[in-house]
Amino acid sequence: MPCSPFTSPTTTGDNNNKKKDGSSLREFKLNESTFLASLMPKQEIGVDRFLDAHPEYDGRGALIAIFDSGVDPAADGLQVTSDGKPKILDVIDCTGSGDIDTSKVVKADADGRICGASGASLVINTSWKNPSGEWHVGYKLVYELFTEDLISRLKKERKKKWDEKNQEEIARAVKQLADFDQQHIKVEDLKLRRTHEDLQNRLDFLRRQSESYDDKGPVIDAVVWHDGEVWRVALDTHRLEDDPNCGKLANFMPLTNYRTERKYGVFSKLDACTFVVNVYSDGDVLSVVTDCSPHATHVAGIATAFHPKEPLLNGVAPGAQIISCKIGDSRLGSMETGTGLIRALIAAVEHKCDLVNMSYGEATLLPDYGRFVDLVKEVVNKHRLIFVSSAGNSGPGLSTVGAPGGTSSSIIGVGAYVSPAMAAGAHCVVEPPSDGLEYTWSSRGPTADGDLGVCVSAPGGAVAPVPTWTLQRRMLMNGTSMASPSACGGTALLISGMKAEGIPVSPYSVRKALENTAVPIGDLPEDKLSTGQGLMQVDKAFEYIQKSQNVPCVWYQIKIQQSGKTNPSSRGIYLREASACRQSTEWTVKVNPKFHEDAGNFEDLIPFEECIELHSTEETVVKAPDYLLLTHNGRTFNVVVDPSNLCDGLHYFEVYGIDCKAPWRGPLFRIPITIIKAKAVTNQSPQISFSKMLFQPGHIERRYIEVPHGASWAEATMKTSGFDTARRFYVDAVQMCPLRRPLKWEIAVIFPSPAAKSFAFTVVSGQTLELVISQFWSSGIGSHESASVDFEVVFHGIKVNQEEVILDGSDAPVRIDAETLLESEELAPVAILNKIRVPYRPIDSKISALSPDRDKLPSGKQILALTLTYKIKLEDGAQIKPHIPLLNDRIYDTKFESQFYMISDSNKRIYSSGDVYPSSANLPKGEYILQLYLRHDNVQILEKMKHLVFFIERNLEEKDVIRLSFFSRPDGPLMGNGSFKSSSLVPGIKEGLYLGPPPKEKLPKNSQQGSVLLGAVSYGKLSFADQGGTKNPEKHPASYRISYVVPPNKIDEDKGKGFSLSSKKNVSERLKEEVRDAKVKVLASLKQETDEERLEWKELSALLKSEYPKYTPLLATILEGLVSRSNIKDKIHHDEEVVDAANEVINSINREELAKFFALKNDPEDEEAEVLNLVSNTCSYSHRPF
């Protein structure tokens, strides 16, 4: 997802950080020029000094691929470079969200008209060249191309105009009705009555229209043709215009692929939305490219905008060029997709880009892992692409860096920095901080495998260009999304200088220059986890590159293994849990020099040999050898870490290697070592307190707690005092567990005045908990009083023998053994089933090769697609959510390339689509087709997935939610006794109870065998009442999943009962009944929308009624068909038909047999089925021969 919060204000970090670069911005006062400069910060990273020395190295010759939400080519400052070249060389929708199927080919008639795909008659401009005479046509709902914000604006403006016209029509209808009533005081004539009724119906319809107005958006027709040289595109957009003469197809200025002529269009003046087009698959696919948020344009502006009249608002590298690779899918809001990511990489290599900026990312469970990460490594190594990406906005907790920017070795991950000038100018704060610091929300390292996470930092906010549809030139955004293009633009300056001076460009040497010349932010070693090596400095980095241009371009790969362990290798040493910090540990470190793919054996590999001096930043804790002789094949050495004498808290150390012959190069490699010594809870009562913590704006306090064994949730109380104006705090709790994303709980709390607030959150027993309390950076500015905070955490827990409960569908209950290990707890179990998940297998599967236009990897491999088709039937309308356990919730840390699904009805109307994070969709009753698209270049992997099980999950309505019962006896569910409500648990004493299955009559109707009911169960009770959980266990911080497997349906017990004679019927009789029922089913399926269809239905119903005059299901079907009929011309006659049909149904029922049935004692569960059976048999009796 995009790594920028779109709302301001933002948070900042520790106020104790100091700048070291000599360009301190303390004690300054803004004037107009410094204010404008603060809106697009460049001085902070030395851009001004670099351009003063090298004005021609302003990004010229550098090409950046912007992997984002799509750049608007009409945005301010993105037309040309500083040397007059086109700024944007290509604009590509890599997701396919703007694709239009134009495979239908038509020819123009004698009048020069064609029939568009929407059915509209379109006039072809006679000046358009089309040697073949073939016109490819397609159409699209224009709202599918727009952002939610733009759609919202358009709907409001269109609704306003529609209301005006509708009110005019209502007024006209009222007048016509009033005039009619005035002219005809007494209406007796049938024709007059019908006229009056029509006028009244018209008025009622117009009023209803106003209430049920739903703007689905206009349709645009697309026409594609080949003019003998290139593919051309024209759009008919007249439905978007107020003037009926505007937007006609013939008036459209034809476009071709953007990279060919670099031209764009605008849909209409109302939307002001820019678009470009690209044609693929020999005219069969048209891609209409729009942005899916202002994010990408803002990012591109920070990196490269050029404003000749406002140079202070220039981007970092105004001479650089860009290509826009849209990876955010418009169908998913702006979420990136696997397809978008891979196609973007293909485009970046095809265009021979120097850099990639990607301000997207998310949390991951496996760092430096996954298909996209592997492909990035390949292009960085083979094609020398420099990849820059945001570290994430999930701080200030540790280990919150996101993928791919903060977790991948081949990517430069960037943290977000704010200077005093930025705070005063861009953020307009009254009293900016005295020194620059990292934004509070900027994600922190280390990664789960111990790597630093953040490489360098750059300014994380700017006022930059945005798309024209926003109706403004520029806006403020902040986030690591903004820090990444600032760093990428700075790197483009380095590329510009390197190309100008003939220095070979390598991502390895550029990264080393950035890291080894960055200015540290903060005085403490552990500040590196927040800021990386510090604030990048372009001028110093270029001097480093100039000096080291004859040094081999090498990346030093680090692999670390703990001695005696078989765990996977790591990139750093991360000791977080208490058991790892009690004694010394030995680690084996292997350093592997990695050259680019084009390195020669004799020229590069064999001669490589470096004498490296190893250093430890704290030898009393980390011991390493003194020297290392490193050759191309790598070398290992051991490191001993002894954390036993460290105090509680966070500690950071490094082992780094220096070239003995060229120490000016700085560290060639670093081994990050992060140690957390957590504080144990030693009180008899499992609680811990932190008193009198003082906070100023932006201050952060970190506390580390060893969660007691047996704890499953914590209840915290935060008391504030000693301040006047309101204060806003963020509280984060972070834990790390193997093969899981960081377990993070966070809350923002506002204290208008000193007070106390309580909250509860989940904890994992025995794992270290990081508790982070931070005061919002602008909160309290103007007041010089410190806020005093007392924070108390009380741990609770009820341990059960099985956290995830599975009810197997039998009548047997599940035994639960519960105990508390900490202190007495109230055992008050609550369990509900509130979802149903239905499995489906594909009815069809197909593997096909995708078009080489967009889907051929840089390695030459062709990407394949597996299309799986599933058939879904909903007996009732419902909100559903597709679910694929194997693939969902992972974009980067997966070896699968991508997935995408679409749900459509029989008319091919698409109701929902989704990717790795499926969304819920409301579907009416009916049958649907779900198509799942999976992509990979390995056909064997796709073959294995041909029978992939897909689930449809839906929430049960509130009235259908099943509340499960607990019992103190194993036969409680059957006997209905021994109900268990609550009891008091005492440490050391277990208590048993039984969870009963749901009553069969409570199961959702039409629930299929193999379906699974899902819900939650909780066992404890919170000590403060306002936290919920007493009725809904999902709201309890310590809730667990519960599932119930739906058993086979009950066998029909009607045989031998009452009047069921089905077993006595011979084959001939049963065959006749099957034929009869089939005929009735055909009648029920007929539509009655047109006069011809109604006549056909009437004839068939009369024929069947003559054959089976007393068959109740047939008569009921006829009645239902009459009732459901619409567009009735003669309402009185129709009502008479309905009454007659209803009487026929009633008269067909054998009253004597019905009376006998109700005189019998019956099972209430089977009553409905028995009545239907009785009716059916009664009807059979009525025409059996006697």
Side-chain angles (χ1 to χ4, degrees):
M1 297 181 71
C3 295
S4 61
F6 278 76
T7 56
S8 187
T10 58
T11 54
T12 59
D14 193 326
N15 270 328
N16 293 325
N17 296 332
K18 307 289 181 183
K19 285 192 70 177
K20 308 280 186 173
D21 63 347
S23 59
S24 176
L25 297 172
R26 288 177 288 178
E27 299 180 4
F28 67 95
K29 185 172 179 61
L30 291 177
N31 53 37
E32 183 180 356
S33 62
T34 56
F35 167 70
L36 290 175
S38 75
L39 302 183
M40 184 65 78
K42 297 182 284 288
Q43 180 183 351
E44 288 82 350
I45 57 174
V47 172
D48 55 339
R49 298 190 299 272
F50 177 80
L51 290 180
D52 285 345
H54 310 285
E56 301 295 316
Y57 300 169
D58 62 351
R60 299 174 198 187
L63 179 58
I64 305 172
I66 305 293
F67 288 14
D68 214 286
S69 60
V71 178
D72 181 0
D76 193 39
L78 296 180
Q79 275 68 58
V80 295
T81 65
S82 57
D83 56 348
K85 294 179 180 178
K87 174 65 70 176
I88 304 176
L89 298 186
D90 205 354
V91 178
I92 310 164
D93 178 5
C94 300
T95 67
S97 58
D99 285 2
I100 300 176
D101 181 359
T102 52
S103 58
K104 183 179 179 181
V105 178
V106 299
K107 290 190 178 261
D109 61 18
D111 296 326
R113 292 177 176 271
I114 63 171
C115 181
S118 71
S121 177
L122 306 173
V123 178
I124 297 296
N125 190 313
T126 55
S127 67
W128 295 345
K129 295 180 181 179
N130 185 354
S132 70
E134 295 182 341
W135 306 91
H136 293 248
V137 295
Y139 76 96
K140 200 171 188 69
L141 288 170
V142 75
Y143 282 1
E144 295 177 7
L145 300 171
F146 292 166
T147 68
E148 291 182 4
D149 288 343
L150 177 55
I151 292 171
S152 177
R153 173 167 70 81
L154 291 178
K155 282 186 174 182
K156 287 179 182 177
E157 295 181 13
R158 285 164 58 86
K159 177 69 160 59
K160 182 180 178 181
K161 295 177 182 178
W162 185 89
D163 280 340
E164 292 174 358
K165 293 181 179 179
N166 194 55
Q167 287 302 317
E168 291 176 4
E169 292 299 321
I170 289 176
R172 187 177 293 110
V174 169
K175 185 177 184 305
Q176 289 174 347
L177 184 60
D179 291 346
F180 181 89
D181 290 340
Q182 190 173 3
Q183 294 174 13
H184 306 89
I185 299 174
K186 202 169 185 181
V187 179
E188 295 180 351
D189 182 71
L190 180 60
K191 288 186 177 180
L192 289 176
R193 276 193 297 172
R194 288 181 179 175
T195 302
H196 183 276
E197 189 174 302
D198 286 343
L199 290 172
Q200 183 64 54
N201 288 341
R202 174 182 170 81
L203 179 59
D204 293 342
F205 175 78
L206 289 170
R207 286 171 174 166
R208 286 197 302 271
Q209 279 288 96
S210 180
E211 296 171 359
S212 61
Y213 174 85
D214 184 15
D215 182 7
K216 299 294 184 182
V219 171
I220 57 171
D221 272 288
V223 180
V224 178
W225 72 97
H226 200 279
D227 69 358
E229 297 180 358
V230 295
W231 287 99
R232 292 287 176 186
V233 177
L235 302 182
D236 185 281
T237 60
H238 78 274
R239 298 179 182 92
L240 283 73
E241 302 283 0
D242 293 330
D243 186 346
N245 295 318
C246 292
K248 296 287 188 180
L249 179 74
N251 298 329
F252 190 90
M253 184 65 68
L255 298 174
T256 187
N257 289 10
Y258 183 83
R259 67 186 296 182
T260 303
E261 294 181 347
R262 290 186 287 277
K263 293 181 180 179
Y264 55 83
V266 177
F267 289 106
S268 71
K269 292 181 180 179
L270 180 62
D271 55 72
C273 182
T274 308
F275 68 91
V276 307
V277 299
N278 295 299
V279 180
Y280 303 106
S281 302
D282 292 328
D284 287 345
V285 176
L286 167 64
S287 174
V288 179
V289 190
T290 57
D291 65 86
C292 59
S293 86
H295 193 265
T297 305
H298 196 275
V299 164
I302 292 173
T304 70
F306 174 58
H307 301 282
K309 296 181 180 179
E310 300 170 304
L312 290 174
L313 295 176
N314 281 348
V316 178
Q321 294 176 298
I322 66 172
I323 67 168
S324 168
C325 298
K326 179 182 173 183
I327 62 171
D329 196 303
S330 298
R331 295 165 294 190
L332 310 178
S334 61
M335 188 74 188
E336 72 267 46
T337 65
T339 298
L341 291 167
I342 302 304
R343 284 179 173 172
L345 271 182
I346 294 171
V349 172
E350 180 188 346
H351 283 77
K352 298 181 180 179
C353 293
D354 301 292
L355 300 109
V356 170
N357 182 86
M358 180 171 161
S359 294
Y360 266 65
E362 62 177 40
T364 180
L365 58 90
L366 290 169
D368 206 32
Y369 173 88
R371 178 161 173 76
F372 178 69
V373 173
D374 292 342
L375 291 174
V376 169
K377 289 179 182 177
E378 180 182 321
V379 299
V380 167
N381 177 49
K382 183 176 181 179
H383 301 280
R384 300 191 173 220
L385 205 62
I386 300 171
F387 206 113
V388 184
S389 184
S390 48
N393 302 326
S394 298
L398 297 185
S399 301
T400 52
V401 284
T407 62
S408 307
S409 295
S410 54
I411 297 176
I412 298 174
V414 186
Y417 167 89
V418 58
S419 68
M422 292 167 61
H427 292 292
C428 298
V429 299
V430 174
E431 188 175 331
S434 59
D435 296 287
L437 64 164
E438 207 77 0
Y439 281 102
T440 304
W441 38 254
S442 187
S443 291
R444 267 68 172 177
T447 63
D449 67 340
D451 193 37
L452 187 60
V454 182
C455 176
V456 292
S457 292
V463 176
V466 288
T468 55
W469 61 260
T470 62
L471 308 184
Q472 62 186 96
R473 293 175 64 194
R474 53 181 68 93
M475 68 169 61
L476 169 66
M477 293 187 194
N478 50 85
T480 54
S481 279
M482 283 63 248
S484 181
S486 179
C488 188
T491 308
L493 300 180
L494 301 178
I495 301 300
S496 183
M498 294 172 75
K499 286 187 174 184
E501 298 188 4
I503 302 172
V505 176
S506 166
Y508 305 154
S509 58
V510 169
R511 177 169 183 162
K512 193 61 58 188
L514 291 174
E515 290 179 334
N516 286 348
T517 60
V519 175
I521 305 170
D523 297 323
L524 302 174
E526 53 267 27
D527 288 330
K528 281 192 175 185
L529 296 171
S530 299
T531 67
Q533 301 305 328
L535 187 64
M536 65 177 285
Q537 300 295 303
V538 175
D539 56 330
K540 299 291 190 293
F542 189 66
E543 292 172 5
Y544 183 98
I545 288 171
Q546 288 176 314
K547 193 173 182 180
S548 59
Q549 58 182 297
N550 295 321
V551 173
C553 298
V554 176
W555 166 47
Y556 298 85
Q557 183 188 57
I558 304 295
K559 289 187 176 182
I560 305 172
Q561 191 89 34
Q562 186 174 352
S563 300
K565 296 289 183 70
T566 58
N567 295 337
S569 63
S570 61
R571 296 172 294 161
I573 298 173
Y574 191 9
L575 304 180
R576 183 181 175 106
E577 307 308 329
S579 58
C581 298
R582 296 191 180 107
Q583 59 190 18
S584 296
T585 51
E586 186 176 22
W587 304 77
T588 300
V589 179
K590 183 167 186 180
V591 182
N592 273 322
K594 294 293 182 181
F595 290 77
H596 287 290
E597 190 173 295
D598 57 1
N601 290 340
F602 289 97
E603 298 84 358
D604 302 295
L605 306 188
I606 294 174
F608 179 79
E609 187 174 276
E610 290 180 334
C611 177
I612 294 177
E613 184 178 0
L614 297 175
H615 295 265
S616 168
T617 56
E618 183 51 70
E619 293 185 356
T620 60
V621 179
V622 181
K623 293 182 174 61
D626 294 327
Y627 290 92
L628 180 74
L629 183 64
L630 185 64
T631 63
H632 163 251
N633 290 318
R635 185 64 190 274
T636 61
F637 62 92
N638 287 358
V639 170
V640 176
V641 180
D642 182 9
S644 56
N645 295 322
L646 294 174
C647 61
D648 293 341
L650 171 63
H651 307 273
Y652 178 80
F653 311 100
E654 282 183 351
V655 171
Y656 58 92
I658 299 292
D659 187 344
C660 299
K661 297 179 180 179
W664 58 266
R665 294 175 63 193
L668 304 183
F669 58 83
R670 296 176 174 88
I671 301 166
I673 301 162
T674 307
I675 301 173
I676 292 176
K677 291 291 289 285
K679 187 173 183 178
V681 180
T682 57
N683 301 336
Q684 185 173 359
S685 177
Q687 67 182 49
I688 191 167
S689 300
F690 306 102
S691 302
K692 296 182 180 178
M693 296 181 288
L694 299 179
F695 286 84
Q696 287 285 337
H699 182 64
I700 300 174
E701 288 284 344
R702 302 178 187 272
R703 297 292 185 271
Y704 301 93
I705 308 166
E706 183 182 347
V707 176
H709 285 280
S712 53
W713 81 90
E715 297 178 10
T717 301
M718 182 177 179
K719 297 180 180 178
T720 59
S721 61
F723 60 92
D724 44 12
T725 58
R727 296 291 191 271
R728 184 178 184 182
F729 290 89
Y730 287 98
V731 182
D732 294 61
V734 183
Q735 288 186 283
M736 300 289 291
C737 293
L739 295 179
R740 294 181 68 179
R741 293 180 175 183
L743 305 177
K744 183 182 177 185
W745 171 88
E746 59 184 345
I747 190 173
V749 286
I750 298 175
F751 291 89
S753 59
K757 295 193 177 184
S758 299
F759 27 81
F761 51 90
T762 306
V763 296
V764 178
S765 171
Q767 301 289 114
T768 294
L769 170 71
E770 181 190 25
L771 181 68
V772 189
I773 308 165
S774 55
Q775 183 172 324
F776 192 70
W777 78 286
S778 61
S779 175
I781 280 183
S783 169
H784 296 282
E785 294 185 0
S786 297
S788 178
V789 174
D790 295 334
F791 205 94
E792 181 184 72
V793 182
V794 181
F795 292 99
H796 297 266
I798 294 178
K799 184 180 179 182
V800 292
N801 59 326
Q802 47 183 321
E803 291 186 346
E804 183 172 341
V805 179
I806 300 177
L807 296 163
D808 58 12
S810 70
D811 295 324
V814 172
R815 178 182 172 87
I816 306 292
D817 291 327
E819 64 177 328
T820 176
L821 304 180
L822 300 176
E823 61 179 355
S824 296
E825 298 281 358
E826 182 177 355
L827 177 61
V830 181
I832 62 170
L833 297 171
N834 58 359
K835 298 183 183 72
I836 184 168
R837 184 178 288 178
V838 182
Y840 293 88
R841 282 200 182 272
I843 60 173
D844 185 43
S845 62
K846 180 182 178 182
I847 295 179
S848 58
L850 297 172
S851 168
D853 292 351
R854 294 188 282 184
D855 298 306
K856 193 171 185 178
L857 293 172
S859 64
K861 291 183 179 180
Q862 184 66 49
I863 298 175
L864 307 173
L866 169 63
T867 304
L868 299 175
T869 303
Y870 302 81
K871 192 172 183 179
I872 302 167
K873 184 176 181 180
L874 295 180
E875 299 293 341
D876 296 297
Q879 185 182 72
I880 69 162
K881 181 179 180 180
H883 187 66
I884 317 171
L886 177 66
L887 303 174
N888 285 163
D889 302 331
R890 292 187 295 154
I891 292 182
Y892 300 103
D893 48 355
T894 175
K895 291 293 184 178
F896 297 102
E897 180 178 308
S898 68
Q899 58 188 285
F900 198 86
Y901 70 84
M902 290 191 293
I903 302 175
S904 58
D905 62 13
S906 58
N907 296 319
K908 297 186 178 180
R909 176 188 173 186
I910 296 175
Y911 280 81
S912 178
S913 58
D915 196 70
V916 294
Y917 296 104
S919 57
S920 298
N922 290 309
L923 299 179
K925 174 183 177 181
E927 293 186 352
Y928 298 89
I929 293 296
L930 186 149
Q931 285 194 309
L932 174 64
Y933 304 91
L934 304 173
R935 293 163 42 106
H936 209 281
D937 60 13
N938 189 328
V939 68
Q940 294 178 338
I941 291 176
L942 296 179
E943 286 283 354
K944 292 178 181 179
M945 303 178 73
K946 276 190 169 183
H947 304 287
L948 184 69
V949 175
F950 198 104
F951 292 91
I952 292 293
E953 183 177 289
R954 65 179 175 89
N955 294 330
L956 300 180
E957 294 183 22
E958 188 65 33
K959 62 182 178 62
D960 296 325
V961 171
I962 303 172
R963 307 193 73 82
L964 301 180
S965 300
F966 291 85
F967 301 89
S968 57
R969 300 287 184 270
D971 53 4
L974 181 64
M975 304 302 294
N977 60 6
S979 176
F980 183 94
K981 298 299 182 184
S982 66
S983 69
S984 181
L985 282 178
V986 178
I989 300 177
K990 289 186 179 181
E991 182 157 349
L993 64 155
Y994 293 87
L995 173 60
K1000 298 297 186 291
E1001 66 272 13
K1002 297 273 189 174
L1003 297 181
K1005 66 177 182 177
N1006 304 316
S1007 52
Q1008 306 170 17
Q1009 177 184 349
S1011 301
V1012 180
L1013 293 173
L1014 300 173
V1017 57
S1018 65
Y1019 301 98
K1021 195 171 184 179
L1022 301 182
S1023 59
F1024 44 96
D1026 61 338
Q1027 284 295 317
T1030 56
K1031 293 184 178 180
N1032 186 355
E1034 291 180 328
K1035 295 183 179 180
H1036 194 285
S1039 64
Y1040 307 98
R1041 178 168 153 168
I1042 183 171
S1043 57
Y1044 172 79
V1045 181
V1046 176
N1049 293 329
K1050 185 170 57 176
I1051 297 175
D1052 189 1
E1053 298 174 355
D1054 296 334
K1055 294 179 180 179
K1057 275 190 180 182
F1059 309 96
S1060 177
L1061 301 177
S1062 60
S1063 59
K1064 298 179 183 180
K1065 296 175 184 176
N1066 58 37
V1067 174
S1068 176
E1069 290 172 333
R1070 293 203 300 271
L1071 181 59
K1072 288 180 181 179
E1073 292 184 357
E1074 291 288 341
V1075 171
R1076 175 200 65 198
D1077 293 342
K1079 291 179 180 179
V1080 174
K1081 188 174 182 181
V1082 170
L1083 177 66
S1085 67
L1086 293 181
K1087 296 180 179 179
Q1088 300 185 66
E1089 296 177 358
T1090 65
D1091 291 339
E1092 291 79 5
E1093 290 174 343
R1094 282 192 287 271
L1095 179 60
E1096 186 181 45
W1097 181 89
K1098 187 175 181 180
E1099 291 175 350
L1100 181 58
S1101 63
L1103 176 64
L1104 295 181
K1105 202 157 78 168
S1106 66
E1107 289 186 56
Y1108 315 109
K1110 296 293 184 180
Y1111 186 47
T1112 306
L1114 169 62
L1115 300 176
T1117 300
I1118 293 173
L1119 174 61
E1120 185 178 350
L1122 289 169
V1123 171
S1124 63
R1125 185 179 294 173
S1126 58
N1127 299 324
I1128 302 159
K1129 297 179 180 178
D1130 189 344
K1131 194 172 181 183
I1132 295 175
H1133 177 67
H1134 176 262
D1135 291 345
E1136 291 173 351
E1137 284 185 306
V1138 170
V1139 172
D1140 291 342
N1143 288 331
E1144 287 181 348
V1145 172
I1146 295 170
N1147 294 333
S1148 70
I1149 299 173
N1150 190 318
R1151 291 175 174 78
E1152 183 179 347
E1153 300 298 344
L1154 191 64
K1156 288 181 181 179
F1157 169 80
F1158 282 113
L1160 299 174
K1161 292 182 179 179
N1162 290 282
D1163 184 351
E1165 279 188 41
D1166 298 330
E1167 187 170 318
E1168 182 180 353
E1170 195 72 38
V1171 169
L1172 292 175
N1173 184 58
L1174 170 71
V1175 170
S1176 179
N1177 285 319
T1178 302
C1179 300
S1180 299
Y1181 282 138
S1182 64
H1183 53 265
R1184 282 176 62 88
F1186 287 96

